[in-house]
Amino acid sequence: AEVINVIGGGLAGVEAAWKAAERGHKVRLFEMRPKKNTPAHKTDKLAELVCSNTLGGIDITTPRGLLKKEMELLGSLIIDAAKRTSVPAGGALAVDREKFADYITEKIENHPNIEVIREEVKEIPEEGITVVATGPLTSNEFSKYLREYLGQEELSFYDAISPIVYADTIDYSKCFWGSRWGKGGDDYLNCPMTEEEYDRFYRALMEAEKVPLKDFEKACYFEGCMPIEEMAERGKETLLFGPLRPVGLIDPRTGKQPYAVVQLRKENREGTLLNLVGFQTKLKYPEQKRVFRLIPGLENAEFARYGSIHRNTFIKSPVLLKRTLQLKKNPRVLFAGQITGVEGYPESAATGIIAGLNASRLLEGKEPVYPPETTMVGALLKYITSADPKHFQPMNANFGLLPPPERRIKGKLNRRKYLSERALRDMEKWLKGLS
Ligand code: FAD
C-alpha cells in the first residue's frame, strides 16, 4: 500500500499524521529535532508550543473559540490533548506545555500506523503522498529546495503584517474613498489628518511600547519590512513621505490636500476587512489599539488582526495551492500549517487536519474536499487561496473572513452568535455528507 509522508512534527504535522493514521493509512512522520533544532524549539517533543501556552478563547463567539469547536468536530488531536492538559486561564484554553507535548508525542509514537523518523528532510520524497508541514522555521536546506521547486518568489522568510480592522467599526464620516491621483477608482479608504492630529499621533507612536526582536529575527529589516515606529524614529517628517504621504489625495469635504493621510485597503473581496497600508509594526497589541485609534475614523475600530513582524517561512498560497491544500502543479503534494500563510497554533493545526483528510482521500480514490466557507476552517482556506497574491501576509481566525449574515442582525454579540451557530451547523452538515 502507498504511504503518506508528513514532513514536520509540529502542530499541523501531528494533526495530519493522526487523521491519516486513524483512517487506516500508513504514515511516515519526519521530524528533524533533536538531531537538528530550530531557533525557537527547546525540546525533542512533537507539537511543542514555542511561545505562549494558550490556544485562545473558549467561547464560540470568539474567533478561535469557534475554530476550536470546529476542530473538535473534525476529530482534532491537538484539542483532545489541550483539554486533557489544560490549566486555568479565565476564558482561554491554556495548557501545561510539557504535559501537552508529552501526551501528543506518546499518542503519535504509539500509533500502529505511524512511524516517526527523526531526520531532516531535504526534498519531497518521490514515493507516496506528501504533506509539507515544516512550519515558520523550516530548515534552511529544505527552504532552499522549496524555493527551487516552487519558484524563487514564492517563498518568504519574514512576515511584515499590518493591522486589519473590521470595516463595520469605522466612522466613515471622517474618511473618504479614492486612490492617489484619482487612479484606480475607490480602492482605498483615506483617513485624513490635520497637523495637530498628526502631532498627537506621532507623539503617541514614539512613546508606545514595542516587542523586542529575537536574535534570529533581526535580519528582517534588511528585507524591506521596516516597522512604522522605526521609520518614525528617523524624524517627524519621514512618515509624511512614507505610508502617511498625502500627495495626490484631495479631501472632497475641504477640496484640499490633507496634512497626512492613512490609507486602508480592502483585505477581502467582500470588503468586511480593511488593512492599514504600510503599518507593519512591533508595537505591543494594546499599544496598537491605543495609538492607531488616534487615526481619524478609527476611534472605535475593532482589530481583526494586529500588526507584527516575524521570522516566518510561508509560501504564496493564493498562487500555488488549491483550496484542498494540494499543490496545483503536483496534487500529490499538500501543504499545512504556518507555511501555508495561516497564523497561530489552532489555525496551523486546523489546516493539518484538512491536509491529513485529503491525503487520505487521495489514497482512497476519493475527491479531496474542503469545508464550506461559512465555517472558520473553510473561511481560512478560502482566504489563503484567494487573497491578493501581491499583498499576501499570514492570517489568523477572525469573523471578518466569514460571509456576513444573510439578514441584518443588531448588536455585535448577536451577530457573532449567529455566525458561530451557522458555522457549526454547516460543519456538521458537511461532515455528515462526507461519511
Ligand atoms: P511547527 O509547530 O513549528 O512545526 C514544524 C516542525 O517541522 C518543527 O517541529 C520543526 O522542527 C520541523 N521541521 C522543520 N524543517 C524540517 C525538515 N526539513 N525536516 C524535518 N522536520 C522539519 N502562534 C500562536 O498562536 N501563539 C504564539 O505564542 C506563537 N508564538 C510563536 C513564536 C515564534 C518564535 C514563532 C516562530 C511562531 C509563533 N507562533 C505562535 C506561530 C505558529 O502558530 C507556531 O509557529 C506553530 O507552531 C506553527 O505550527 P506548524 O505546525 O506550522 O509549525
Side-chain angles (χ1 to χ4, degrees):
E2 251 195 312
V3 64
I4 293 176
N5 308 300
V6 176
I7 312 181
L11 295 179
V14 298
E15 289 280 26
W18 182 256
K19 179 54 94 187
E22 285 285 281
R23 281 176 82 102
H25 302 294
K26 290 283 174 214
V27 177
R28 295 191 296 187
L29 175 61
F30 295 89
E31 170 52 57
M32 66 178 185
R33 290 176 292 121
K35 275 193 197 148
K36 187 154 197 171
N37 228 323
T38 79
H41 288 83
K42 296 193 174 71
T43 75
D44 63 354
K45 288 173 191 159
L46 303 176
E48 178 184 335
L49 300 175
V50 286
C51 186
S52 93
N53 67 332
T54 163
L55 278 70
I58 294 170
D59 197 286
I60 60 159
T61 56
T62 66
R64 280 183 164 174
L66 171 59
L67 177 62
K68 288 199 292 290
K69 193 79 199 169
E70 291 179 8
M71 290 168 69
E72 218 175 332
L73 295 175
L74 290 165
S76 165
L77 175 63
I78 294 286
I79 301 298
D80 171 38
K83 284 193 152 175
R84 287 169 191 271
T85 61
S86 69
V87 295
L93 180 58
V95 302
D96 175 322
R97 67 177 76 235
E98 295 275 324
K99 292 204 178 96
F100 172 79
D102 278 339
Y103 178 81
I104 292 168
T105 305
E106 202 196 297
K107 282 285 223 196
I108 294 282
E109 283 181 341
N110 292 330
H111 199 293
N113 285 339
I114 304 177
E115 180 191 359
V116 179
I117 302 169
R118 298 282 184 164
E119 253 170 44
E120 179 187 6
V121 172
K122 296 179 179 170
E123 47 191 79
I124 291 170
E126 302 231 324
E127 192 202 338
I129 308 274
T130 297
V131 176
V132 178
T134 44
L137 304 169
T138 294
S139 72
N140 289 340
E141 245 179 284
F142 192 55
S143 297
K144 244 185 252 157
Y145 164 82
L146 285 178
R147 270 201 145 185
E148 294 288 316
Y149 183 69
L150 302 171
Q152 293 297 321
E153 298 303 312
E154 315 298 354
L155 182 97
S156 303
F157 291 107
Y158 296 94
D159 62 40
I161 292 181
S162 316
I164 291 176
V165 293
Y166 290 108
D168 59 4
T169 63
I170 293 174
D171 178 357
Y172 291 91
S173 70
K174 300 194 174 152
C175 336
F176 61 97
W177 291 96
S179 299
R180 217 175 286 282
W181 309 116
K183 286 179 198 155
D186 282 353
D187 286 356
Y188 292 89
L189 181 68
N190 303 287
C191 303
M193 285 183 182
T194 61
E195 189 169 355
E196 294 72 49
E197 284 165 339
Y198 178 74
D199 282 353
R200 196 159 60 110
F201 169 77
Y202 183 78
R203 253 180 289 128
L205 182 60
M206 295 299 286
E207 286 161 11
E209 236 187 300
K210 289 142 202 126
V211 183
L213 280 183
K214 298 198 177 62
D215 275 343
F216 62 89
E217 292 180 324
K218 286 192 176 140
C220 169
Y221 295 173
F222 300 111
E223 300 245 329
C225 48
M226 170 85 62
I228 184 142
E229 63 275 9
E230 196 94 351
M231 213 183 283
E233 260 173 42
R234 301 186 162 183
K236 201 167 155 194
E237 308 279 286
T238 310
L239 294 179
L240 299 175
F241 294 96
L244 274 75
R245 72 188 178 285
V247 293
L249 291 166
I250 302 296
D251 186 341
R253 291 164 312 167
T254 62
K256 289 195 188 124
Q257 179 178 303
Y259 185 78
V261 177
V262 175
Q263 289 201 299
L264 279 71
R265 185 180 52 228
K266 282 183 193 159
E267 183 64 34
N268 53 351
R269 249 175 276 151
E270 294 75 14
T272 52
L273 296 169
L274 294 174
N275 183 311
L276 276 71
V277 178
F279 271 60
Q280 57 271 14
T281 177
K282 289 295 281 186
L283 294 193
K284 294 192 166 163
Y285 288 177
E287 292 287 82
Q288 292 189 33
K289 193 162 168 177
R290 184 175 67 81
V291 178
F292 300 155
R293 278 184 165 185
L294 294 173
I295 298 167
L298 303 191
E299 292 84 355
N300 296 307
E302 299 271 353
F303 290 78
R305 183 183 83 183
Y306 282 102
S308 61
I309 299 176
H310 300 116
R311 167 77 176 80
N312 195 357
T313 313
F314 65 102
I315 60 170
K316 210 170 263 180
S317 295
V319 179
L320 298 173
L321 295 187
K322 301 191 202 186
R323 217 190 279 193
T324 53
L325 295 172
Q326 293 168 283
L327 204 54
K328 285 179 189 164
K329 76 169 208 181
N330 182 358
R332 288 166 59 83
V333 174
L334 299 93
F335 279 75
Q338 187 100 356
I339 199 167
T340 65
V342 294
E343 164 73 32
Y345 298 150
E347 288 86 346
S348 297
T351 59
I353 306 175
I354 302 299
L357 173 65
N358 282 336
S360 305
R361 290 179 69 90
L362 282 171
L363 284 194
E364 294 156 13
K366 296 179 182 149
E367 276 296 310
V369 288
Y370 52 82
E373 65 189 62
T374 46
T375 65
M376 196 57 88
V377 181
L380 276 165
L381 294 177
K382 179 185 175 195
Y383 180 82
I384 59 168
T385 54
S386 71
D388 177 359
K390 265 208 314 259
H391 304 291
F392 184 57
Q393 292 289 334
M395 182 60 88
N396 51 252
N398 70 76
F399 282 105
L401 297 174
L402 299 175
E406 296 78 6
R407 56 187 165 85
R408 229 186 108 68
I409 298 171
K410 273 211 176 139
K412 180 170 118 182
L413 196 62
N414 287 335
R415 246 187 333 270
R416 290 191 166 187
K417 231 175 127 192
Y418 174 85
L419 291 175
S420 297
E421 282 164 6
R422 182 180 72 180
L424 294 173
R425 217 170 36 238
D426 287 358
M427 181 60 93
E428 274 170 3
K429 219 189 316 171
W430 181 72
L431 283 169
K432 225 184 232 160
L434 287 187
S435 59

